[in-house]
Amino acid sequence: MSETPDKRNEAANPQWGARFAAGPSVVMQEINASVGFDRELWRQDVRGSLAHAAMLAKVGIITAQDEQAIRNGLAAIAREIENGRFPFDTALEDIHMNIEARLTERVGEAGRRLHTGRSRNDQVATDFRLWVRDAIDGIGAQIDDVMRALADRAVAHAADPMPGFTHLQTAQPVTFGHHLLAYVEMLDRDRSRLADCRRRLNECPLGSAALAGTSFPIDRAATAQALGFDRPTANSLDAVSDRDFALEFLGVAAISAMHLSRFAEEIVVWCSAPWRFIRLSDAFTTGSSIMPQKRNPDAAELVRAKTGRITGALVGLLTVMKGLPLAYAKDMQEDKEPVFDATGAWALSLAAIAGMVRDMMPDTARMRELAGTGFATATDLADWLVRVLQLPFRDAHHVTGRLVAKAEAKGCDLAGLTLQDMQAEEPRITADVFSVLTVEASVASRTSFGGTAPSNVARQAARWRAALA
């Protein structure tokens, strides 16, 4: 006797019910299935289902006995997944259907009651928000760790001069500690953006159902509270159909990855032979298959490269979402892989940067040597002319420019000029001018708030260490 349409369909996917007379083609199954990647959401799916079941029992939609059976079944399923024994089935499409089908196998009718008052649309929106929220907490802790590593090194090098650059040309001396603290400030803003993102996403879609809400007397505030959300989402259409929380998260990730990439680029430059500002150990470098002398800063280069993956994830998801009418569309199944991939790349980049900051061995003598090159104290000379001789700054700038040209012609730095050389350009210059032309005097003079003076750097580094303790 042939199967009825109901039975044929249930063999393909029992969760669909009786609408379809036949199962999908192989190609349809392949393009439609997401369990290969959305199984990453299993912890959040179990948490959401536990909260939903507790609420259903509380309002009398299911019995206490059904809730307990569901609770026990979900606990057993969690153990199966953790131990690698869960029978994932692509015919069931996604993690949500896989868990629900397995639950029904284990606990029978109670498992079939769990989906009352919810849809996969609000279920996945809830699970995904929970996942992103968990990722924010983990990434935030990693950002803190990188900031601590940088602040620790800044304390140690608060007074060690290095060249400061604009246009990658020597500009003015700064201290190595000051340079490192610049990245602490950037990462702190990344951390702040993450906190803003977490605050905005922390509303619970569960109970919005497919798009219109539900006729069952559910308690959405209870499920929101049980899952640690601030409140339920206020509009069911919005709740199931937007992914701006994921986009905002990827936006923060892209900005932060850009910051990490800039620092990684500096590590690459600092390690190179013409600079030799720092050395990385074998732990964060690789060799060459043909050149035995090579020590390549591959960890830094890969951090730099992963920025492309993270930025690409943001652009990709923006493109997925840009033309979707309300409410849910299957296009939105493409939301998770870029977020999962970007999060992994971001987390690995943060771990690599933290490791390299702690591993790097600065050559402070080399930094000091180059800090005074390229006429780095020219601005100090101009400032002296303004402060001591009361020249307008533009006049002082021109005098200093002529003295730089004279020093360049003589093959010396500004401090190598004689007093007579200087007085030929400005007769009122005295020998006191040489007191401001050393690297140490230059950095010590930058005492304005946020400046590179070692006393400033030491205070800022100590403040950050205390804040991050």
Side-chain angles (χ1 to χ4, degrees):
M1 184 169 152
S2 64
E3 288 185 313
T4 65
D6 280 17
K7 293 298 183 184
R8 285 200 306 273
N9 173 63
E10 287 188 6
N13 187 339
Q15 309 300 80
W16 283 357
R19 169 64 179 85
F20 291 83
S25 72
V26 172
V27 172
M28 181 59 193
Q29 277 194 317
E30 182 70 20
I31 197 171
N32 197 46
S34 60
V35 72
F37 56 85
D38 70 13
R39 65 180 66 184
E40 176 78 17
L41 298 173
W42 74 264
R43 289 180 178 85
Q44 290 76 23
D45 196 73
V46 169
R47 283 163 59 192
S49 291
L50 287 169
H52 187 66
M55 181 275 295
L56 292 177
K58 175 186 170 186
V59 301
I61 295 173
I62 65 173
T63 65
Q65 292 79 10
D66 281 346
E67 191 224 337
Q68 188 59 55
I70 290 168
R71 186 171 296 280
N72 293 342
L74 289 172
I77 288 169
R79 289 192 295 271
E80 283 185 334
I81 298 175
E82 284 177 334
N83 296 330
R85 293 186 286 105
F86 186 86
F88 290 105
D89 183 357
T90 56
L92 292 169
E93 299 181 24
D94 55 36
I95 186 62
H96 323 292
M97 283 188 166
N98 268 265
I99 288 178
E100 186 178 331
R102 184 63 171 158
L103 179 66
T104 300
E105 286 178 13
R106 282 187 161 276
V107 305
E109 191 70 21
R112 297 175 71 87
R113 297 184 188 280
L114 174 60
H115 209 53
T116 308
R118 75 175 183 185
S119 161
R120 270 193 300 173
N121 294 356
D122 61 333
Q123 189 178 357
V124 67
T126 302
D127 292 355
F128 199 20
R129 283 183 188 241
L130 288 170
W131 193 96
V132 172
R133 194 177 70 186
D134 290 344
I136 286 171
D137 294 342
I139 291 288
Q142 283 194 271
I143 291 175
D144 284 354
D145 186 53
V146 177
M147 292 170 68
R148 274 192 294 272
L150 289 165
D152 287 345
R153 299 310 294 263
V155 167
H157 298 286
D160 288 325
M162 69 174 288
F165 300 97
T166 61
H167 308 278
L168 209 57
Q169 304 295 309
T170 301
Q172 295 174 328
V174 297
T175 72
F176 189 46
H178 191 58
H179 195 112
L180 296 178
L181 286 180
Y183 286 97
V184 176
E185 298 289 340
M186 295 179 209
L187 289 167
D188 183 52
R189 292 192 294 275
D190 294 339
R191 189 174 60 163
S192 175
R193 279 183 278 267
L194 266 182
D196 288 345
C197 177
R198 192 189 196 283
R199 177 177 55 81
R200 271 185 287 277
L201 76 76
N202 208 35
E203 296 182 347
C204 184
L206 196 58
S208 298
L211 75 162
T214 178
S215 60
F216 290 96
I218 61 173
D219 184 348
R220 293 191 61 209
T223 48
Q225 183 178 21
L227 293 170
F229 289 105
D230 294 332
R231 64 191 68 83
T233 51
N235 183 285
S236 59
L237 286 166
D238 171 58
V240 301
S241 67
D242 207 353
R243 294 295 185 267
D244 56 357
F245 66 91
L247 288 165
E248 185 173 6
F249 176 69
L250 288 177
V252 178
I255 293 170
S256 181
M258 174 271 295
H259 287 149
L260 299 178
S261 181
R262 294 183 72 182
F263 187 62
E265 168 68 6
E266 302 218 75
I267 290 174
V268 171
V269 171
W270 292 345
C271 285
S272 66
W275 296 63
R276 302 195 312 276
F277 282 3
I278 65 170
R279 185 176 185 273
L280 292 174
S281 76
D282 296 350
F284 289 95
T285 55
T286 64
S288 165
S289 63
I290 189 172
M291 296 170 284
Q293 83 281 10
K294 293 298 290 299
R295 181 188 292 274
N296 299 321
D298 282 5
E301 292 172 5
L302 288 166
V303 168
R304 193 173 57 187
K306 287 187 184 297
T307 307
R309 292 176 69 159
I310 295 169
T311 304
L314 171 61
V315 174
L317 186 52
L318 282 167
T319 305
V320 167
M321 296 298 299
K322 72 173 183 62
L324 299 186
L326 297 180
Y328 181 83
K330 199 60 178 275
D331 310 52
M332 292 164 67
Q333 183 166 288
E334 296 295 314
D335 59 356
K336 296 164 203 67
E337 284 185 287
V339 173
F340 295 163
D341 184 74
T343 303
W346 190 9
L348 187 56
S349 296
L350 286 163
I353 291 292
M356 286 186 286
V357 169
R358 293 187 171 105
D359 179 78
M360 65 185 181
M361 296 159 276
D363 185 339
T364 55
R366 175 66 175 167
M367 290 185 192
R368 168 63 183 80
E369 175 189 349
L370 292 186
T373 62
F375 309 105
T377 57
T379 306
D380 299 277
L381 172 56
D383 289 348
W384 185 91
L385 294 171
V386 171
R387 186 171 54 252
V388 176
L389 301 186
Q390 301 295 305
L391 287 182
F393 182 80
R394 283 299 164 206
D395 294 345
H397 188 283
H398 291 312
V399 170
T400 302
R402 291 195 296 272
L403 289 171
V404 166
K406 183 175 289 189
E408 192 170 38
K410 292 184 67 174
C412 65
D413 60 18
L414 286 170
L417 293 173
T418 65
L419 181 59
Q420 290 73 24
D421 290 331
M422 293 194 178
Q423 289 176 336
E425 299 298 333
E426 170 49 63
R428 292 178 294 160
I429 293 177
T430 68
D432 179 62
V433 73
F434 293 100
S435 68
V436 302
L437 298 182
T438 66
V439 166
E440 288 74 17
S442 177
V443 296
S445 71
R446 308 297 172 189
T447 56
S448 59
F449 182 78
T452 194
S455 56
N456 282 1
V457 176
R459 278 195 302 272
Q460 291 285 5
R463 177 180 69 83
W464 275 118
R465 290 179 82 187
L468 294 162

